[in-house]
């Protein structure tokens, strides 16, 4: 297959062609030529006047299968990721049974072969994600797991986290620790602030997150190893991680797109699509998170994509499940808050952190690319949702720019030709 990208604005700091406009000829999954006006070339697909970068990676997605196919199948989840600009997605063990063994990891990888995008399973840190005993971490790593964590479940046992960080060091494993003290959270459902009081909803104090971040960093300093703290949402969490990085600790963190874009003021109508964990915070906190992106304290942004069927969301606010989808909104929202180069940095940084091979844009290099545009705006509607579940906190949001598609694994997938 021959693909010609004409007048492509290349954004790739690892490439000699960074921030230049070139024609790119791709043949059989390999970049054959990069140059000025390559001329008339017979190609199976020609795409013009676009931006191109290394393929984007999302560090936290849920697809449901196996066990929760009514929420999302692996096949439709992968198609949604591709059309949202992602060539790599890290799949959480929010499944039934929980992915806590090598066979579970291999199942995810086998079921997702043949797509342009590549799925990278995250193995559960503990057996059945119950927090009692470590799962088969080394075996899962041998099967293809890129990290270990219990999705949205904190590690209550501090000694277990200590042992996990020590155990994975010989094989370079990465531990994921979701920061949320469930005792302090209690029955909270939203950010503890004036909005929670005004609406009569139980609040989740920022302290619930910050205590866990402080504890996890203290344990990391003691043990060494590699730690990732996903979806931080408070100013103090940012400050703690900033200091930890200054000390030289091997820690990374992410922020969820919803926490970066929305404030708790949207809860006015008790729309359960806005019920997420960590909860939407106040305006000052959201501004601080955006500043931390540009500062570099926050390493990458995740959609924290979590499809949930209507039975889990169409309930009273207190009883509804936490979670929103977000893969399709990543570029359109993120590009409103940071520069094009910074947005690409944030969307590609996870690959190195999770030891996934990178492919700079160069001649004779593997084509693993995201194609996008930066101009134009549109409103995201429920009818635009590709995911099987429609629990989106971004319905009605204005998007800046658009995703054209991806080229990876010798396939070209675009929204425009629905390939």
């Amino acid at each position: 297959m021959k693909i010609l990208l004409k007048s492509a604005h290349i954004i790739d700091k690892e490439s000699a062609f960074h921030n230049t406009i070139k024609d790119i000829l791709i043949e059989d999954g390999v970049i054959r030529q990069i140059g000025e006006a390559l001329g008339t070339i017979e190609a199976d697909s020609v795409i013009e006047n676009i931006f191109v970068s290394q393929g984007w990676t999302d560090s936290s997605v849920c697809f449901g299968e196996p066990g929760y196919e009514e929420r999302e199948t692996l096949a439709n989840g992968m198609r949604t990721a591709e059309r949202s600009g992602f060539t790599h997605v890290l799949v959480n063990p929010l499944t039934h049974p929980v992915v806590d063994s090598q066979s579970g990891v291999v199942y995810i990888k086998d079921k997702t072969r043949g797509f342009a995008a590549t799925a990278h399973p995250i193995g559960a840190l503990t057996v059945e994600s119950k927090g009692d005993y470590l799962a088969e971490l080394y075996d899962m790593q041998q099967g293809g797991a890129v990290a270990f964590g219990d999705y949205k479940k904190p590690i209550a046992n501090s000694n277990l986290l200590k042992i996990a960080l020590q155990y994975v060091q010989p094989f370079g494993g990465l531990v994921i620790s979701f920061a949320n003290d469930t005792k302090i959270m209690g029955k909270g459902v939203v950010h503890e602030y004036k909005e929670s009081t005004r609406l009569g909803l139980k609040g989740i104090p920022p302290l619930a997150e910050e205590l866990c971040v402080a504890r996890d960093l203290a344990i990391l300093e003691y043990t060494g190893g590699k730690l990732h703290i996903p979806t931080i949402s408070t100013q103090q969490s940012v400050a703690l991680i900033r200091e930890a990085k200054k000390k030289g600790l091997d820690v990374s963190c992410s922020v969820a797109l919803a926490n970066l874009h929305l404030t708790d003021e949207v809860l006015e109508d008790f729309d359960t699509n806005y019920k997420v964990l960590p909860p939407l915070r106040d305006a000052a906190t959201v501004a601080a998170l955006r500043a931390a992106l540009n500062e570099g304290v926050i390493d990458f942004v995740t959609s924290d994509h979590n499809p949930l069927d209507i039975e889990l969301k169409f309930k009273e606010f207190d009883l509804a499940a936490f979670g929103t989808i977000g893969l399709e909104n990543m570029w359109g929202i993120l590009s409103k808050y940071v520069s094009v180069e910074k947005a690409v940095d944030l969307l590609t940084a996870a690959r190195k952190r999770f030891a996934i091979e990178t492919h700079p844009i160069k001649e004779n290099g593997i084509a693993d690319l995201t194609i996008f545009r930066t101009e134009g705006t549109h409103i995201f509607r429920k009818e635009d949702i590709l995911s099987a579940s429609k629990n989106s906190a971004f319905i009605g949001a204005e998007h800046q720019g658009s995703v054209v598609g991806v080229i990876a694994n010798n396939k070209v997938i675009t929204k425009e030709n629905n390939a």
Side-chain angles (χ1 to χ4, degrees):
M1 176 184 289
K2 281 188 179 180
I3 305 161
L4 180 61
L5 305 181
K6 293 186 67 66
S7 300
H9 191 148
I10 299 170
I11 304 294
D12 182 2
K13 291 180 179 178
E14 297 183 49
S15 170
F17 300 100
H18 174 58
N19 212 17
T20 63
I21 299 176
K22 302 289 183 183
D23 288 358
I24 304 174
L25 176 64
I26 301 163
E27 186 174 4
D28 297 330
V30 176
I31 299 172
R32 299 297 183 189
Q33 286 182 268
I34 302 176
E36 304 279 355
L38 293 181
T40 303
I41 295 175
E42 289 190 11
D44 299 289
S45 181
V46 179
I47 305 173
E48 302 184 62
N49 302 314
I50 40 80
F51 281 73
V52 62
S53 72
Q54 289 190 42
W56 300 342
T57 301
D58 195 324
S59 62
S60 177
V61 303
C62 301
F63 288 151
E65 186 181 357
Y68 302 118
E69 288 84 355
E70 73 280 4
R71 303 179 189 178
E72 186 70 284
T73 63
L74 285 166
N76 194 64
M78 295 298 286
R79 287 191 290 267
T80 301
E82 292 168 345
R83 285 161 176 78
S84 302
F86 293 94
T87 62
H88 297 267
V89 289
L90 278 65
V91 182
N92 291 302
L94 186 61
T95 55
H96 183 72
V98 171
V99 178
D100 61 2
S101 66
Q102 186 180 97
S103 61
V105 170
V106 172
Y107 175 86
I108 300 293
K109 293 186 72 67
D110 285 348
K111 285 280 286 188
T112 55
R113 295 189 196 281
F115 291 92
T118 301
H120 303 274
I122 296 172
L125 185 71
T126 63
V127 175
E128 298 182 5
S129 288
K130 289 183 175 180
D132 297 323
Y133 309 100
L134 289 184
E136 301 171 0
L137 307 186
Y138 178 72
D139 283 351
M140 286 192 287
Q141 192 255 9
Q142 293 298 294
V146 294
F148 312 102
D150 298 332
Y151 183 68
K152 298 298 182 186
K153 293 184 177 181
I155 306 169
N157 184 335
S158 298
N159 192 54
L160 192 67
L161 176 60
K162 175 180 75 73
I163 293 170
L165 285 166
Q166 292 170 327
Y167 178 80
V168 299
Q169 288 181 46
F171 57 92
L174 176 63
V175 172
I176 298 173
S177 179
F178 178 64
N180 182 40
D181 187 311
T182 56
K183 296 298 183 182
I184 289 183
M185 173 186 175
K187 295 182 180 180
V189 292
V190 297
H191 175 48
E192 184 182 79
Y193 196 55
K194 60 184 180 182
E195 287 298 317
S196 63
T197 301
R198 189 173 67 84
L199 297 173
L201 294 171
K202 296 181 180 68
I204 303 174
L207 182 65
E209 175 177 308
E210 294 157 1
L211 275 179
C212 287
V213 171
R215 181 206 66 167
D216 292 358
L217 293 173
I219 294 173
L220 178 65
E221 187 170 10
Y222 175 81
T223 61
K226 297 190 295 184
L227 178 68
H228 176 62
I229 303 176
T231 60
I232 64 169
S233 67
T234 79
Q235 297 183 57
Q236 182 62 17
S237 292
V238 170
L240 288 165
I241 292 170
R242 180 189 294 114
E243 289 305 309
K245 288 185 173 184
K246 287 179 180 178
K247 290 180 179 179
L249 300 187
D250 194 348
V251 61
S252 59
C253 66
S254 65
V255 62
L257 187 65
N259 293 99
L260 184 70
H261 177 59
L262 299 165
T263 71
D264 59 355
E265 293 176 2
V266 300
L267 300 171
E268 180 73 28
D269 295 326
F270 299 91
D271 185 342
T272 59
N273 283 329
Y274 297 124
K275 186 179 179 181
V276 294
L277 191 66
L280 302 178
R281 304 290 186 184
D282 58 277
T285 301
V286 173
L289 292 173
R290 294 173 188 170
L293 281 185
N294 286 299
E295 183 187 349
V297 177
I298 296 176
D299 298 275
F300 32 86
V301 180
T302 174
S303 67
D304 204 24
H305 183 79
N306 186 5
L308 298 169
D309 62 78
I310 192 169
E311 291 183 351
L312 295 172
K313 278 293 190 179
F314 193 58
K315 294 182 176 183
E316 295 176 19
F317 200 96
D318 283 347
L319 302 178
F322 291 98
T324 178
I325 57 175
L327 274 169
E328 300 164 69
N329 310 98
M330 184 66 84
W331 176 255
I333 299 294
L334 181 60
S335 61
K336 297 171 67 171
Y337 299 114
V338 295
S339 68
V340 173
E341 285 191 17
K342 184 63 178 177
V344 169
D345 285 346
L346 291 165
L347 291 171
T348 56
R351 198 176 315 181
K352 286 186 177 180
R353 180 57 174 165
F354 291 90
I356 300 168
E357 187 177 4
T358 61
H359 300 289
I361 299 174
K362 63 181 181 180
E363 289 185 340
N364 299 315
I366 293 174
D368 188 323
L369 308 170
T370 297
I371 313 163
F372 58 99
R373 293 192 169 96
T374 61
E375 297 181 351
T377 60
H378 69 277
I379 302 299
F380 186 75
R381 305 166 304 164
K382 186 174 182 179
E383 295 75 22
D384 298 325
I385 296 175
L386 299 174
S387 176
S389 292
K390 311 302 179 184
N391 57 305
S392 174
F394 303 101
I395 295 171
E398 182 182 75
H399 281 197
Q400 173 68 43
S402 60
V403 171
V404 177
V406 298
I407 300 171
N409 290 332
N410 196 22
K411 293 178 173 62
V412 55
I413 305 294
T414 71
K415 285 185 175 180
E416 295 176 354
N417 65 12
N418 201 33

